[in-house]
Amino acid sequence: RAAGAVAWQRRPTSRTGPILVLSAALWSLGSYGPTGIEPVWAIGFAFEGYYDVALALLALTFPATALDGRGRALMAALVTAFLARSASRLLLADPPRTFPEVFPDGPVNPFAVFESRAVFTLVEVSTSVVVAVAVIAVAILAVRRLATSHALTRAVVGPVMLASVVAMGFAAVEATDTAWSTAFGASLLAIPEGIREITDWLAPTGRAVVPLAFLLGTLRLRATRGPLSTVAARLARGGDPEEVDA
């Protein structure tokens, strides 16, 4: 959240700061899922992972790029999948009733008025597959943006695109594992108990790198010796505008 606030202050006309702040708020909301506190856990579980939508949007638009047709299609798919998954988790899944063999003693979801294991499983698996495919596509587009950027642009978007690829990679792994474990009742990733505490921190750490990268990119835009200053200096020396960013 601090990174978003700084980015918002430094570039108030950019969408980067507000989206980073929104991402932090969504992260906080989803973090209530594992608490088991009724009924807050159900809301947290339903809206878990929405920060990936915000991070995907930033990966496709930072620092001031409009979404093209593919970007709009990917964002539409992501938002639709997350909303469908949220509705399913909130209205269809009550652990003691839906999965009594796993959660015989709760926690209870009081919002599950249409409890159905079959429908919940179908929605959870299908939306997780959509999310996995979409975030992989976002990562590919981020790499393509980086590869096709000019040298000065790359100095700004480079850290952001690399961090976005890392974050989307973790999102893809989580979505794939969610689909697999929901469908087959066991995690796709067999992690030894001895290192589970370490691996449990990898995903949040991978996401945490992204706001820092966006903050770095935003600050570099305004840095005394940053890309904008370099462009201005080259133009002042009579450089060709078409070649300044070559």
Side-chain angles (χ1 to χ4, degrees):
R1 186 173 297 179
V6 173
W8 199 343
Q9 181 181 24
R10 294 296 296 268
R11 299 192 69 205
T13 59
S14 172
R15 71 184 64 166
T16 301
I19 295 179
L20 282 177
V21 172
L22 175 63
S23 177
L26 293 172
W27 190 318
S28 298
L29 177 62
S31 67
Y32 286 99
T35 64
I37 302 174
E38 301 176 3
V40 178
W41 82 269
I43 298 174
F45 177 58
F47 292 94
E48 185 179 50
Y50 270 81
Y51 44 78
D52 286 327
V53 178
L55 295 180
L57 177 60
L58 285 174
L60 295 174
T61 61
F62 180 84
T65 303
L67 284 173
D68 58 13
R70 284 174 298 185
R72 287 192 294 271
L74 284 175
M75 291 308 304
L78 267 179
V79 171
T80 301
F82 270 94
L83 290 176
R85 190 175 71 173
S86 293
S88 174
R89 289 181 173 185
L90 200 61
L91 301 176
L92 300 176
D94 180 29
R97 290 185 292 160
T98 311
F99 300 99
E101 72 279 10
V102 181
F103 305 102
D105 300 318
V108 174
N109 176 11
F111 307 105
V113 293
F114 303 109
E115 187 275 330
S116 171
R117 179 167 183 162
V119 179
F120 169 77
T121 300
L122 175 63
V123 175
E124 187 79 358
V125 171
S126 58
T127 55
S128 295
V129 170
V130 172
V131 170
V133 173
V135 295
I136 289 173
V138 170
I140 293 173
L141 290 180
V143 172
R144 183 177 179 182
R145 283 191 66 193
L146 182 60
T148 57
S149 296
H150 294 297
L152 292 177
T153 304
R154 194 177 301 121
V156 175
V157 304
V160 174
M161 294 302 103
L162 292 176
S164 297
V165 170
V166 172
M168 294 301 100
F170 278 114
V173 171
E174 287 188 346
T176 302
D177 189 58
T178 297
W180 183 275
S181 60
T182 303
F184 301 106
S187 176
L188 180 63
L189 304 174
I191 301 173
E193 193 65 33
I195 63 172
R196 184 174 295 276
E197 291 186 6
I198 299 176
T199 57
D200 286 346
W201 281 97
L202 286 178
T205 301
R207 267 53 170 262
V209 170
V210 180
L212 296 178
F214 279 107
L215 177 59
L216 175 61
T218 300
L219 295 178
R220 293 197 69 177
L221 280 173
R222 297 294 184 182
T224 303
R225 298 183 179 180
L228 290 183
S229 298
T230 304
V231 170
R234 290 188 183 181
L235 290 175
R237 292 195 299 267
D240 186 342
E242 296 296 329
E243 297 177 356
V244 162
D245 196 28

